[in-house]
Amino acid sequence: MGHREDLLDGAKRCLLEKGWVRTTARDIVAASGANLASIGYHYGSKEALMLEAFMRLTEEWGEGVGRSLAENAAEAPSREDRVAGVVDALVASFGHSRDFWSVQLEVMGQLGNHPELRERFAAVLPQGREGMTAIFEGVDDKDVPERASRTAGAVYHALFIGLWVQWLIKPEAAPDGRDVVEGMRRILAGTVLEPGESRDDAPTAK
């Protein structure tokens, strides 16, 4: 493996261990065994290298956990079980990669200061929606029509982002699959505020 891949692996480790803001070029050099000059030679700048490392981490998550979740969803006995099962599996997966989700949130906070970072996020947004549709529907990405990705995919993606943000704030307060399915059902049926249901009827906070 050459310096380019060494630097990329080193940057990935630094992102997970130190985050976006605290990682320095020297940290990456120490983690990769390369040298400072090679960062500029292969990537142009530390920021470009970190951006590439971050996108690679995201792709690796999608290829690994995403594929596993899609396979599990396909085995669900009913549609509601499928959605609930995917939600539960997603929430459970967060616990195995807390550093990854923490740096995701940190990077989101950097979008206003880094136009290139924002542009890269915007460029892969359709892929994110497509991937979430594939996971929840239990199919391969290539089998997701554009309209499904643009509509249902936007909803699935919004749900996914909301789940990991809530989990990062307080893991035990993240909703489970049954709550999410019931919430969807109530929203569409117009029964979110059911007659006769008071605040005292609400379940105890997790």
Side-chain angles (χ1 to χ4, degrees), residues 19-83:
W20 181 277
V21 174
R22 292 177 57 227
T23 293
T24 67
R26 293 188 180 280
D27 290 330
I28 297 173
V29 167
S32 66
N35 54 68
L36 285 173
S38 62
I39 293 178
Y41 177 78
H42 289 290
Y43 291 95
S45 68
K46 184 202 78 169
E47 288 70 22
L49 167 57
M50 290 178 61
L51 175 56
E52 192 62 34
F54 175 78
M55 300 307 294
R56 184 70 66 86
L57 283 172
T58 303
E59 290 171 3
E60 290 171 356
W61 179 88
E63 293 169 358
V65 177
R67 186 184 307 111
S68 175
L69 292 174
E71 292 171 354
N72 291 336
E75 300 172 358
S78 72
R79 181 155 193 81
E80 291 190 356
D81 288 332
R82 172 183 295 171
V83 173

Side-chain angles (χ1 to χ4, degrees), residues 61 69 79-91 94 101 125 128-129 132-133 135-137 149 151-168 173-185 187:
W61 179 88
L69 292 174
R79 181 155 193 81
E80 291 190 356
D81 288 332
R82 172 183 295 171
V83 173
V86 171
V87 169
D88 287 337
L90 281 171
V91 173
F94 299 152
W101 294 109
L125 186 58
R129 292 174 174 176
M132 282 296 109
T133 304
I135 288 173
F136 275 94
E137 296 298 322
S149 177
T151 56
V155 176
Y156 285 143
H157 201 209
L159 171 62
F160 169 67
I161 293 173
L163 285 171
W164 65 259
V165 170
Q166 289 183 65
W167 184 88
L168 277 176
D176 61 26
R178 290 171 301 175
D179 286 341
V180 169
V181 168
E182 181 180 352
M184 290 178 171
R185 188 188 303 115
I187 291 169

Side-chain angles (χ1 to χ4, degrees), residues 86-182:
V86 171
V87 169
D88 287 337
L90 281 171
V91 173
S93 75
F94 299 152
H96 301 303
S97 49
R98 185 181 183 89
D99 291 340
F100 171 67
W101 294 109
S102 295
V103 77
Q104 283 269 346
L105 191 61
E106 182 184 1
V107 170
M108 289 286 188
Q110 299 298 313
L111 295 184
N113 301 321
H114 295 275
E116 182 182 357
L117 187 60
R118 185 172 62 250
E119 290 172 5
R120 286 290 294 273
F121 263 78
V124 300
L125 186 58
Q127 296 174 29
R129 292 174 174 176
E130 179 183 89
M132 282 296 109
T133 304
I135 288 173
F136 275 94
E137 296 298 322
V139 300
D140 192 88
D141 289 21
K142 63 181 176 57
D143 296 323
V144 178
E146 188 280 332
R147 185 177 181 184
S149 177
R150 177 169 46 85
T151 56
V155 176
Y156 285 143
H157 201 209
L159 171 62
F160 169 67
I161 293 173
L163 285 171
W164 65 259
V165 170
Q166 289 183 65
W167 184 88
L168 277 176
I169 294 171
K170 187 177 181 182
E172 60 271 27
D176 61 26
R178 290 171 301 175
D179 286 341
V180 169
V181 168
E182 181 180 352

